[in-house]
Amino acid sequence: MLRRLVPTLILAFLVVMGAGAILQIYNGRVDAMASARTDLSATAATLGDEIDRSIAAHPSLGIANGQIAIDAIPARAVSYPNRFVLATGSDGRIVAVAPLSARPLFVGRDIADILGDSVETVHHQSSAGTAPTLTLVDGTDAIVASRALDRPMGRIYVIQNAGDALAAWMRSALLTGTLFATTGLLLLILGAAFHVQTVRAVTADMINQNARATIDAALESGRCGLWDWQIGSSQLFCSASMFELLGMEGREGLVTISELEPLLHPDDAYLGAIVSMKDLDPRQPVDFQFRMRHVDGSWHWLRARGRGLSIAGVKQSRFVGIIVDITEQVETAERNAASDLRIREAIETISEAFVVCDDKERIVVCNSKFRQLNGLSEDAARPGLHYHEALANGGGAKVVDGRVLDSREEISGRDLEVHLADGRWLQISERRTACGGFVSVGTDITDLKRHESELTAGEQRLKASIADLQRSQYALEIQTQQLAELAEKYSEQKTRAEEANQAKSEFLANMSHELRTPLNAIIGFSEILKEGHFGPIGVSKYGEYARDIYDSGHFLLSVIDDILDMSKIEAGRLKLQPCPTRLEDMLDEAMRVVAKMASDKQIIIEAEIPEGMEILADRRAIKQIAINLLSNAVKFTPVGGMVSVRARKARGVVALAIEDTGIGIPRHAIRNLGKPFEQVQSQFSKNHKGSGLGLAIAKSLAEMHGGSLKIRSTEGRGTTVVVRLPIDGPAGLTIEQTASKRAA
């Protein structure tokens, strides 16, 4: 009966345990999926906040800021296999990807090319705080979490392969199945051993060894070690898996405490004190954590759990238990604590009043700005205190206008402006969280409100200015029309003046030719009478009259010649004939012409002209320039004065300077010299005859050669005229261009 009952109980136990294992595996899968969705939603929210803050801090960077924030994602956020973080612009195209290796696969693609028709589903469920599971366009099952970003960014998506998200569950399920199979097998073996032990003792021993091996395998796969310690002794039994936890060569058996002490962390030396105690209560369970050195030199956290055990025939009690490697759990806890600290520090650095409450309206966390705004101490705003109770006890400014979000209303959030009694304005933004709590952010917008008031006043002033401008514009349109009419009349008058000037120049040129013919006859006949070629004149007075007629004719001929030359220049009829010219020869000829006039006035002419100075110029024009300038210098220099002529060559230009000690020219009159028929009248010069064209002709001829004429004078001390001529000639400047330049 016993042999039949035991297998039956074992089978019943296996059925119950199997059902429990299946239920556990199923629930584990549900929990794993829920945990993955929660993790992805939290990751999307955290990364979205990070990108929004980066964009707010650096608005000039635009969409590039999304990539900057993506690059700053901690490595652990995308360390899971087949997890990707995508950020899109406002047009739905992917602009940033993490990890970096996935950029070529996603950047530039539309998010719909990845999610297919499920984009709106993802957006809807993500706004509700959940991450849906869906099939991507490439046929992969994935969990997707999304969050909207501030412009110019669009949204952030965190995509996790569903199979990889369930990897931990699969390992757990495999472990559970293994444990179930192992336990079932163990029970079956034990049942078989119980059944067979009455038949064959040797078979029972073999089954016992197999059971030991199976237990060791289970301990090894679960990263556990088995220990057995007799209270008060200096030795304990350790399984092979215990040594494998520390990377040592697998063995099992008794180990002395002295062997383990070098492997213990110095801060965990209390273990030696526990071992030395002999009066431990075996009824108290053992559960403590300590660190031991791994073979690679790192410290591993281990957790020892056990209980007392009394064995028949053995006087001293024992402790039996397992040791589990909890290094990953400890590191995870440390990372979570560090993350929590960073989050709290980030909240504290926010310049706005920030508070988070749970679904019971209890404060979870708040920053100093919130406490300062509401007149709360740290204790009065401690976590766990009711939100409205804390506000009621605060000493902040009272609300004059506006109200805080009523947590009993079934709404997702609200933005409102609150006017405080102390004159400040606050913009409060409150949003409900997925767990039923809410987040409140308060910003001081007093300056903005004041600026809005100033803008309103400025707008009124601007409207008034616009009205004035419209009236002014109407007046300007009338003035513009009048100016257009005046411009048209000016154009007509200018055309008439130009035509009259051209007609004058042509008239003077024609008249000069008409006058020279009879004037030559008068000069010739007066010279015959003056010289008495056909016999003496009876009365001597007639000879004087003949000489006056001769002198007057010559003077009139020189005036007509000047008028003719000026007319030719203005009409553009004077043609230069440049040729190699020795400057000293031209100046000698000019000085001989004025020598008689200079000797009559006892004026000394000094010349300082280097030999061999040759230029390309019109010989007649250069001679006329020199004669006109020397004649003016002698004419306006008093008796006993001096005229000097100097020439220099430098940088492709010949400079000719004629300086006199004459009456000089007033400063205000210098700018009018060089214009046709312009003369400077003074007590000395008003009695000197002349057409006033000599200086104008000299200046025009110099400009026709591509040169210039400048005058420097001091009234009462003398005048210096400097003519600059290019050595290589006019350089292609036509007579018409020169005439136009002179006229302008």
Side-chain angles (χ1 to χ4, degrees), residues 1-14 187-188 190-192 194-195:
M1 184 187 303
L2 188 58
R3 287 198 303 268
R4 294 172 182 171
L5 180 59
V6 170
T8 302
L9 292 175
I10 291 175
L11 291 176
F13 176 78
L14 289 177
L187 291 175
L188 290 176
L190 291 177
F194 177 77
H195 178 72

Side-chain angles (χ1 to χ4, degrees), residues 455-467:
L455 286 178
T456 302
E459 184 179 1
Q460 298 297 328
R461 292 193 297 271
L462 182 61
K463 289 181 179 179
S465 300
I466 291 174

Side-chain angles (χ1 to χ4, degrees), residues 327-530:
T327 304
E328 293 183 0
Q329 293 89 321
V330 172
E331 292 177 350
T332 301
E334 291 176 351
R335 288 195 297 268
N336 291 338
S339 298
D340 182 67
L341 179 60
R342 284 195 294 270
I343 291 173
R344 290 180 180 273
E345 290 177 349
I347 292 174
E348 184 63 29
T349 58
I350 296 175
S351 60
E352 288 81 11
F354 186 88
V355 61
V356 179
C357 296
D358 59 13
D359 56 345
K360 302 295 184 182
E361 298 184 357
R362 294 172 300 192
I363 296 176
V364 177
V365 64
C366 66
N367 61 0
S368 58
K369 189 71 174 179
F370 172 78
R371 295 193 297 270
Q372 177 185 354
L373 184 64
N374 294 281
L376 298 171
S377 63
E378 291 190 16
D379 184 67
R382 65 184 182 277
L385 193 65
H386 197 277
Y387 174 72
H388 296 290
E389 180 182 350
L391 292 181
N393 297 330
K398 302 303 180 184
V399 176
V400 175
D401 186 19
R403 63 190 181 91
V404 180
L405 173 65
D406 187 354
S407 60
R408 293 171 295 182
E409 296 179 5
E410 296 296 331
I411 55 179
S412 60
R414 178 173 299 174
D415 294 320
L416 66 155
E417 293 179 352
V418 176
H419 189 196
L420 302 180
D422 59 2
R424 289 180 299 166
W425 281 89
L426 298 180
Q427 181 177 351
I428 298 178
S429 177
E430 296 190 348
R431 294 291 182 270
R432 288 289 178 187
T433 61
C435 63
F438 67 89
V439 177
S440 177
V441 180
T443 306
D444 190 339
I445 59 171
T446 305
D447 293 339
L448 181 60
K449 279 294 191 181
R450 187 180 299 110
H451 184 61
E452 287 180 356
S453 300
E454 294 174 356
L455 286 178
T456 302
E459 184 179 1
Q460 298 297 328
R461 292 193 297 271
L462 182 61
K463 289 181 179 179
S465 300
I466 291 174
D468 294 340
L469 288 174
Q470 288 176 344
R471 290 191 293 270
S472 300
Q473 183 180 7
Y474 178 73
L476 287 174
E477 289 177 354
I478 296 176
Q479 293 177 1
T480 302
Q481 184 176 1
Q482 294 174 350
L483 288 174
E485 294 176 356
L486 292 175
E488 184 177 357
K489 292 179 181 179
Y490 168 75
S491 179
E492 293 176 357
Q493 294 297 328
K494 180 181 178 182
T495 302
R496 292 176 182 176
E498 291 176 350
E499 292 175 352
N501 182 62
Q502 184 67 21
K504 179 264 298 181
S505 298
E506 293 178 357
F507 171 76
L508 289 176
N510 293 330
M511 287 300 298
S512 297
H513 282 289
E514 295 295 331
L515 290 174
R516 291 179 74 177
T517 300
L519 188 58
N520 286 329
I522 292 173
I523 293 173
F525 289 132
S526 63
E527 183 179 5
I528 292 174
L529 292 175
K530 177 175 71 71

Side-chain angles (χ1 to χ4, degrees), residues 286 316 471 658 724:
V286 175
Q316 194 69 29
R471 290 191 293 270
I658 298 177
R724 288 183 172 83

Side-chain angles (χ1 to χ4, degrees), residues 81-97:
N82 293 324
R83 175 178 288 189
F84 304 97
V85 178
L86 312 179
T88 66
S90 57
D91 58 353
R93 291 198 170 274
I94 299 171
V95 297
V97 179

Side-chain angles (χ1 to χ4, degrees), residues 558-621:
S558 66
V559 172
I560 293 174
D561 287 339
D562 289 343
I563 294 173
L564 180 61
D565 291 340
M566 197 71 240
S567 300
K568 286 182 179 181
I569 292 173
E570 289 186 342
R573 297 178 181 176
L574 182 62
K575 306 296 183 181
L576 296 180
Q577 297 179 354
C579 63
T581 302
R582 292 175 59 86
L583 186 61
E584 59 267 28
D585 296 343
M586 294 297 99
L587 294 178
D588 288 342
E589 294 179 8
M591 287 188 288
R592 286 196 297 271
V593 171
V594 298
K596 178 67 170 61
M597 186 189 309
S599 63
D600 292 342
K601 297 179 68 176
Q602 299 178 1
I603 294 174
I604 300 174
I605 300 178
E606 291 183 347
E608 184 181 345
I609 306 169
E611 295 183 359
M613 188 176 293
E614 186 174 282
I615 64 173
L616 184 65
D618 187 290
R619 296 173 58 87
R620 177 182 174 279

